Amino acid sequence: MPTDATYMKRALQLARRGVGTTYPNPAVGCVIVKQGAIIGEGWHKRAGGHHAEVHALAMAGADAAGADVYVTLEPCSHTGRTPPCCDALIRAGVKRVIIGSGDANPQVNGGGMRALQRAGIETLSGILEDKCRELNRAFLKFMATGRPHTTLKCAMTLDGKIACTSGDSRWISCEASRTLVHRMRAASNAIMVGVGTVLADDPRLTVRHVAGIDPLRIVVDSRLRTPERAALLSAELAPGTLIATRETAPELHSRFLEKGIELLFCKPHGEQVDLCDLWEKLGARGIQSLLLEGGSRLAGEALHRGLIDECVFFYAPKVVGADGISPFGFTGTTDMSRAITFHTLKSRRVGTDIMVTAYPENRCLQD
């Protein structure tokens, strides 16, 4: 027999269809049920378009009166680019609204539930809350902290190396893993690499193999060493590329600005860009989700400073030996009690690889 969780699972399936197209809004799904039958479904398809509840109400029509509504995120109670969804639900005369997770947006944040309750509509929250929050983890992190949710993607050999001693890394992972990475790119607002990766691999950092929109491309380059021949400086890619750097000589600025590259000046941290300042500046630009793709020095510093929220490791059935390059380029601790720990490891097979998702405790090795 269907339960509240059954219908919320369906709402989550619908919500996932909007991942990557609703930014800066969250992905939301909605299901309307009456007498045990689904009479309306919808999801938020794109920013500026109708929200999930409105699509579902349109499908249900007059039958929505007295129905139960399952929605993955608290209905909005404010007027933005579209009218409040709470008002639409109230006008439709629904009986109950079952909510997956609350909305951390200060313009909502409980206001949607209160508006529904004042109208005499029964509300219930927390159904499959963890799954609903995971779906919009970037949006919720951004609303709570003003910083982007950061996912590190890393392809590794079984002995934990991201490249051979020569720096060669093409290709460690299998084709299925690489396709999944492109889906991750399409779902992200920005993708970031260090200048070392640009020098070694000359990446394009675009979405291929799957349908999707290219994210903002970010290169962390403290001394502006990105070569003029780099693919990211081409006429095609330069307009969507940003280089994060420290203040340097004006003559260095001009050669990038003439190509249409945006320079973002950050505070220094020793001889490098201060990554905490960079993350703050990206948040101020509205970047909610950031995919970090390397290299090891950048990944190590980001992990060391507690900036990585999630790591996705693709382990390939290969071994390159002790002198290969490790994924995190920082000086290791001599005390195991001070190692950075991870929690909630999840794994699954992707082609010939094993994909492991892990969440760091986000504490520094040292001050």
Side-chain angles (χ1 to χ4, degrees):
M1 182 176 179
T3 64
D4 286 344
T6 304
Y7 296 121
M8 191 61 74
K9 285 180 182 177
R10 175 56 182 165
L12 277 164
Q13 289 176 342
L14 294 167
R16 293 188 184 103
R17 297 181 184 181
V19 172
T21 63
T22 64
Y23 172 76
N25 297 337
V28 182
C30 180
V31 171
I32 300 178
V33 178
K34 193 170 188 179
Q35 297 177 348
I38 294 176
I39 60 172
E41 293 186 334
W43 70 94
H44 187 33
K45 299 178 181 179
R46 59 178 178 81
H50 291 308
H51 289 189
E53 299 93 324
V54 175
H55 285 296
L57 286 170
M59 182 176 174
D63 288 339
D68 294 339
V69 177
Y70 296 83
V71 60
T72 56
L73 191 71
E74 179 183 2
C76 62
S77 53
H78 67 288
T79 299
R81 296 169 72 175
T82 60
C85 291
C86 283
D87 291 356
L89 294 169
I90 293 167
R91 285 195 304 270
V94 303
K95 180 182 178 181
R96 284 200 314 158
V97 176
I98 299 91
I99 299 167
S101 69
D103 189 341
N105 185 339
Q107 294 181 295
V108 184
N109 198 16
M113 288 188 64
R114 290 191 294 271
L116 294 169
Q117 290 165 351
R118 285 195 298 268
I121 296 173
E122 181 184 350
T123 62
L124 177 65
S125 65
I127 303 299
L128 299 186
E129 182 174 11
D130 288 348
K131 292 185 180 298
C132 291
R133 289 185 63 84
E134 182 181 5
L135 176 68
N136 285 306
R137 58 195 182 278
F139 172 80
L140 295 172
K141 162 80 182 285
F142 177 77
M143 285 296 169
T145 68
R147 283 184 174 184
H149 179 280
T150 302
T151 299
L152 171 70
K153 182 281 299 182
C154 188
M156 291 192 292
T157 59
L158 287 179
D159 53 345
K161 306 302 179 182
I162 62 171
C164 300
T165 54
S166 64
D168 179 42
S169 62
R170 294 186 177 180
W171 295 100
I172 293 177
S173 57
C174 68
E175 185 176 352
S177 293
R178 296 197 296 274
T179 298
L180 181 53
V181 168
H182 281 268
R183 289 199 188 98
M184 294 170 66
R185 287 183 178 183
S188 302
N189 302 150
I191 179 172
M192 178 185 289
V193 296
V195 66
T197 298
V198 175
L199 292 170
D201 299 336
D202 194 23
R204 294 176 60 82
L205 305 182
T206 55
V207 174
R208 304 182 298 281
H209 312 305
V210 300
I213 301 171
D214 287 346
L216 174 68
R217 295 173 289 273
I218 302 171
V219 179
V220 181
D221 185 356
S222 300
R223 291 179 286 161
L224 292 180
R225 294 187 294 145
T226 301
E228 293 193 30
R229 57 171 173 75
L232 294 174
L233 268 61
S234 67
E236 175 192 1
L237 300 182
T241 301
L242 177 151
I243 294 180
T245 188
R246 305 172 302 152
E247 279 287 355
T248 50
E251 59 269 20
L252 290 177
H253 300 175
S254 60
R255 74 182 179 94
F256 291 100
L257 296 175
E258 288 170 0
K259 290 180 175 290
I261 294 285
E262 180 182 358
L263 296 180
L264 179 63
F265 297 107
C266 301
K267 295 176 183 177
H269 182 70
E271 296 297 316
Q272 306 300 318
V273 164
D274 186 323
L275 295 187
C276 289
D277 183 55
L278 172 54
W279 260 242
E280 293 287 348
K281 284 181 165 62
L282 294 178
R285 297 168 68 97
I287 300 297
Q288 296 178 7
S289 55
L290 175 65
L291 182 61
L292 185 58
E293 290 206 16
S296 64
R297 182 178 296 177
L298 176 60
E301 180 68 8
L303 182 69
H304 180 92
R305 304 197 72 184
L307 296 170
I308 295 175
D309 299 287
E310 177 180 17
C311 294
V312 180
F313 302 115
F314 294 91
Y315 284 94
K318 301 174 183 178
V319 170
V320 297
D323 293 332
I325 300 173
S326 298
F328 298 107
F330 53 72
T331 302
T333 178
T334 57
D335 183 350
M336 187 59 71
S337 68
R338 292 184 60 80
I340 294 177
T341 56
F342 291 74
H343 63 88
T344 320
L345 272 69
K346 299 182 290 187
S347 65
R348 67 183 177 97
R349 189 73 175 262
V350 180
T352 58
D353 301 337
I354 298 294
M355 182 180 113
V356 175
T357 304
Y359 303 87
E361 296 288 358
N362 281 342
R363 66 178 181 85
C364 297
L365 283 175
Q366 60 186 29
D367 295 331

